[in-house]
Amino acid sequence: MKHTFKQWIPMVSYPEPESVAAISSMEKNGSASLNSFLDFISGTELPDLQEKFTQTFDMSPDTCLDLGWHLYGEAYERGAFMLKIRELLRDQRIPESKELPDHLSHILAALDGLNPDDQKPLVHQYIQPALTKILAGFKDSDNPFQFAIQYMDEQLKRQFGTEGGDA
């Protein structure tokens, strides 16, 4: 089953009325992670969503959404990774936002524009390892934003398998 990865961008974007509406328009399915995340969004006021999002993704390096941070920390390789992603965004005419190029929202936008042969290595080499580290950053937390990351991780594994595995 092919996914449109851009539809996930509101799930990892600062909550604004438009992004919350986009999330709320998603339909519940058999995924407990997605269903839990949708319940959280529908049952939480916008200011509370914004505060929780900021605490979760902006104030905690363990759960930030800059994939290069999780993959390389402050090492030189992170800069090279960001240049690679910036080039990918430019090639697809995807404008950068206020976020760094290695932010998950940019990478999801770029993923849609790639052919399947190029998507799989990007997912296996960069996205899945970073999502694994983000999920580990939640530890035993009851933070509902972890459900969005879990859902994406589940769906990517379903579509692309795991590195070295079959989809």
Side-chain angles (χ1 to χ4, degrees):
M1 175 168 78
K2 185 177 186 319
H3 291 277
T4 303
F5 303 105
K6 288 179 186 177
Q7 74 184 8
W8 296 346
I9 293 172
M11 298 171 76
V12 292
S13 299
Y14 183 76
E16 296 288 356
E18 301 81 24
S19 60
V20 171
I23 295 167
S24 298
S25 72
M26 296 176 77
E27 293 185 22
K28 288 187 174 185
N29 62 25
S31 167
S33 299
L34 178 62
N35 296 345
S36 294
F37 184 68
L38 294 176
D39 289 343
F40 163 64
I41 294 296
S42 68
T44 309
E45 296 293 325
L46 183 61
D48 295 330
L49 288 173
Q50 292 171 331
E51 181 179 347
K52 188 70 168 175
F53 183 92
T54 300
Q55 290 172 349
T56 302
F57 297 121
D58 295 339
M59 306 298 275
S60 174
D62 291 338
T63 55
C64 79
L65 297 171
D66 298 322
L67 301 192
W69 170 256
H70 294 287
L71 298 170
Y72 306 109
E74 294 182 18
Y76 169 82
E77 291 84 3
R78 181 176 183 204
F81 176 67
M82 283 200 279
L83 286 174
K84 179 178 183 172
I85 298 301
R86 181 170 274 146
E87 183 177 308
L88 182 60
L89 296 171
R90 186 176 37 242
D91 288 348
Q92 294 187 30
R93 302 181 200 276
I94 298 170
E96 289 184 44
S97 69
K98 64 182 182 329
E99 303 293 350
L100 292 172
D102 63 343
H103 192 272
L104 182 56
S105 61
H106 289 142
I107 294 172
L108 290 172
L111 193 58
D112 261 349
L114 297 174
N115 68 54
D117 291 336
D118 293 328
Q119 286 177 334
K120 192 170 186 174
L122 183 68
V123 168
H124 286 173
Q125 188 173 357
Y126 303 111
I127 301 173
Q128 285 178 333
L131 293 181
T132 297
K133 289 186 177 187
I134 294 170
L135 287 169
F138 283 107
K139 299 179 185 65
D140 295 324
S141 166
D142 62 354
N143 186 321
F145 276 106
Q146 72 183 317
F147 298 127
I149 304 301
Q150 285 174 343
Y151 175 71
M152 290 178 203
D153 188 52
E154 292 164 2
Q155 296 306 307
L156 290 170
K157 286 176 180 169
R158 178 172 291 144
Q159 184 165 342
F160 297 102
T162 56
E163 189 169 9
D166 293 330

